[in-house]
Amino acid sequence: MGKRVAIAEDNILALRSIIDKLSVYDDIEVVYTANNGLEMMNHQQLESIDLAIMDIEMPVMDGIKATQQIHERYPEIKILMLTTYDDDDKVFNSLLAGATGYLLKSESSKYIYQSIISILDGGAVMSASIALKTINYIKREEEKNCVQFSLTERELEILTELKKGLAYKEIASKLFLSEGTVRKHIENIYRKLQVNNKVSAINIATENKIIK
């Protein structure tokens, strides 16, 4: 049975290009097309599709907003963003809205097809340049959080060992410090994170991706 796909794209030339790229694959059926996100979301056949291919910049309702609403109403429908935009905000807002793929329109028909199959098999896909942006974004956020709380490298080490469940004495032995020094570092950690216990410190550090 073919994979049932719908496409939201307001540019007629881009739409024809996407349909042409998919037309060579017998197991992909383009069920319907829409000119904007609202039209996609309100289509009577929406519930029957397996995957929505979504442009981002469209009139009436953009692709990110439509993605969020479709994902909330029909979480079983997979959504692939196919766009010319590669800026950070659009990438991450799309992923947060519920998209499981983000490809640039310049990708080959074979890669778009393989990405659709991968998504429908439970995977997530990105163009190579988008994946690199995502990695760099995560790194920047981690660095930003460390700067925000001003934790030193030693404090991060001790906080990581605390998360592993090690006692002060065990941390001191592992890091070749005195137990008193470890306690002093932990006091500084609590002060910087504005907490008064180990559990709260670990939770804040983990939530903010200061430690893994």
Side-chain angles (χ1 to χ4, degrees), residues 26-196:
D26 295 335
D27 55 343
I28 298 290
E29 177 188 359
V30 178
V31 179
Y32 68 87
T33 64
N35 291 318
N36 57 68
L38 184 63
E39 189 176 319
M40 165 71 85
M41 190 180 68
N42 290 336
H43 199 283
Q44 60 183 5
Q45 295 190 64
L46 176 62
E47 293 183 65
S48 71
I49 69 171
D50 300 303
L51 179 139
I53 295 177
M54 194 79 69
D55 188 23
I56 289 183
E57 290 294 334
M58 295 183 288
V60 185
M61 179 184 288
D62 65 46
I64 295 175
K65 187 171 182 180
T67 294
Q68 182 179 15
Q69 295 194 18
I70 292 172
H71 182 65
E72 288 174 353
R73 288 169 56 183
Y74 306 103
E76 70 278 5
I77 296 176
K78 305 298 183 182
I79 301 175
L80 168 64
M81 312 306 286
L82 189 61
T83 179
T84 57
Y85 297 95
D86 65 351
D87 56 287
D88 291 357
D89 286 344
K90 286 185 171 58
V91 172
F92 299 111
N93 287 336
S94 295
L95 299 177
L96 288 173
T100 47
Y102 196 108
L103 300 183
L104 299 178
K105 288 178 179 175
S106 57
E107 296 289 358
S108 68
S109 58
K110 182 178 180 180
Y111 189 72
I112 293 173
Y113 168 75
Q114 291 174 335
S115 296
I116 290 172
I117 299 304
S118 178
I119 289 172
L120 291 174
D121 284 342
V125 298
M126 293 182 187
S127 292
S129 61
I130 300 300
L132 182 59
K133 278 179 172 288
T134 304
I135 292 170
N136 289 336
Y137 176 84
I138 292 170
K139 287 181 178 177
R140 288 197 303 272
E141 287 300 303
E142 289 179 345
E143 290 169 359
K144 187 191 303 180
N145 286 329
C146 287
V147 171
Q148 175 185 351
F149 293 108
S150 301
L151 294 179
T152 66
E153 185 175 344
R154 178 63 81 187
E155 288 165 355
L156 290 172
E157 285 181 325
I158 290 173
L159 196 49
T160 300
E161 299 305 327
L162 277 177
K163 186 176 181 180
K164 293 176 183 177
L166 271 63
Y168 293 179
K169 188 174 182 179
E170 293 172 313
I171 295 173
S173 177
K174 183 173 182 178
L175 300 181
F176 303 102
L177 301 171
S178 70
E179 191 171 342
T181 299
V182 170
R183 290 183 181 278
K184 184 61 179 176
H185 280 304
I186 291 173
E187 287 176 9
N188 289 335
I189 292 169
Y190 289 177
R191 176 177 53 79
K192 291 177 180 180
L193 298 183
Q194 298 182 4
V195 298
N196 56 17

